[in-house]
Amino acid sequence: MSRELLPYDLAWSDVDPRTHPFDPAAALDVVRGLDAASRVPVRPFGRRSSDPDERREEYARLCSWSHTEGWDWARAMTADLIARYGPWSTGWRWAHDEGDLGGGPVGLWCCTLHSIGTPEETLERVAGALCEWREWLEYLARRFDAYPLDAPDAEDRRDTWERATHHLILQVLDRTGSGDAWYGHCRQVLTWFLTRWDVDRRTADALVEEAIGGRFASWTAPEGKLVHEVAEQLATSLEPDAEPPAAVERYRYTSAHLQSYLDE
């Protein structure tokens, strides 16, 4: 799957609401007018059976439809949304847990298997998920602005950085439900925060990777002490006299659920 249709590599400049206008009241009408809206696939009817082997076979059949016809349509819808709104819109299906993409903050869309219904139901879910994703981006923009990294006093600056990091980690935990690979979006949000305040993206990637250091895990909400340690380390690393970050390869997001599709 082309990563251009995925939200994992989005920079803050790609999603900053200040530079990407959006009217949520018009979203459903816009979605209805897209080319993919005229081609919503029909979900196969599930056959019921009391036989365990037949139930497994039926579920495999539905999953096969979801991962072929369903995913093809979702990719087409994403491409249409990008053409209309820009790359930020790729996050519309970044669902919680093991949804289509997994580990994301969107609850109104799960996956093609469970979220595709009648054409109108499906388009309403797409528009709702798009608005939910946008609302999250707008919330983050307000939080970023509330924690400026340009305070002149060094002590105040470090305190602001630490409080911001702590707050943002907790917000990502809440939005994602700390499900499958939630930490991928957490890394992204912290990097967005730093680049919002003019930290070079490569440096921001390295600082966040060093601060988290593989200490967050799927399906696990970190204890308060660990969140505090990560926030403290990131704040310390941003000080002007701190050691420069080690050269680390930029984190490449994959969830357990998505890996097989990325390899296609």
Side-chain angles (χ1 to χ4, degrees):
M1 181 194 298
S2 171
R3 292 186 73 90
E4 293 178 359
L5 300 180
L6 300 171
Y8 309 141
D9 297 327
L10 291 171
W12 181 243
S13 59
D14 295 323
V15 302
D16 187 348
R18 297 174 301 176
T19 55
H20 298 87
F22 176 71
D23 179 8
L28 180 54
D29 286 339
V30 170
V31 168
R32 286 172 174 153
L34 298 176
D35 181 65
S38 65
R39 298 181 282 107
V40 178
V42 178
R43 185 179 184 273
F45 179 76
R47 298 188 297 267
R48 296 188 177 186
S49 173
S50 59
D51 181 86
D53 291 335
E54 290 182 359
R55 288 201 300 270
R56 284 192 291 271
E57 182 179 340
E58 178 63 12
Y59 183 68
R61 183 178 73 90
L62 294 175
C63 287
S64 177
W65 172 87
S66 171
H67 297 157
T68 52
E69 186 175 349
W71 270 64
D72 287 345
W73 178 82
R75 284 192 286 261
M77 174 56 74
T78 299
D80 285 354
L81 288 171
I82 293 173
R84 174 62 178 81
Y85 289 117
W88 71 265
S89 60
T90 57
W92 72 271
R93 58 194 286 239
W94 199 353
H96 301 158
D97 303 329
E98 293 184 348
D100 267 353
L101 305 184
V106 174
L108 291 178
W109 182 272
C110 166
C111 50
T112 53
L113 180 61
H114 297 117
S115 296
I116 291 180
T118 67
E120 184 60 18
E121 288 173 343
T122 304
L123 297 180
E124 288 178 355
R125 288 181 183 132
V126 171
L130 180 67
C131 290
E132 184 182 9
W133 169 246
R134 174 65 178 217
E135 185 277 329
W136 171 235
L137 298 177
E138 292 178 355
Y139 173 82
L140 289 175
R142 294 193 299 272
R143 292 295 84 204
F144 294 172
D145 288 346
Y147 295 100
L149 298 188
D150 55 2
D153 182 80
E155 185 174 346
D156 290 343
R157 186 169 58 244
R158 176 173 172 173
D159 179 65
T160 298
W161 295 343
E162 186 173 332
R163 287 188 294 110
T165 303
H166 190 277
H167 173 79
L168 291 171
I169 292 172
L170 294 182
Q171 291 304 306
V172 174
L173 274 169
D174 180 65
R175 290 288 182 137
T176 62
S178 64
D180 177 40
W182 68 272
Y183 46 81
H185 187 45
C186 184
R187 281 183 170 92
Q188 184 181 51
V189 167
L190 293 177
T191 301
W192 284 350
F193 171 61
L194 296 181
T195 55
R196 159 65 181 88
W197 290 106
D198 300 323
V199 176
D200 174 77
R201 186 176 182 186
R202 184 179 295 274
T203 300
D205 284 334
L207 292 173
V208 170
E209 183 62 26
E210 282 189 348
I212 294 178
R215 292 185 286 178
F216 293 163
S218 295
W219 310 108
T220 305
E223 296 182 357
K225 180 181 179 182
L226 176 55
V227 173
H228 176 75
E229 289 175 356
V230 170
E232 184 177 43
Q233 180 170 338
L234 185 56
T236 302
S237 67
L238 286 166
E239 288 293 342
D241 58 351
E243 289 290 327
V248 297
E249 183 178 353
R250 186 166 181 272
Y251 179 76
R252 191 168 176 83
Y253 178 99
T254 56
S255 71
H257 184 60
L258 181 64
Q259 183 61 60
S260 60
Y261 309 124
L262 285 174
D263 289 340
E264 291 179 353

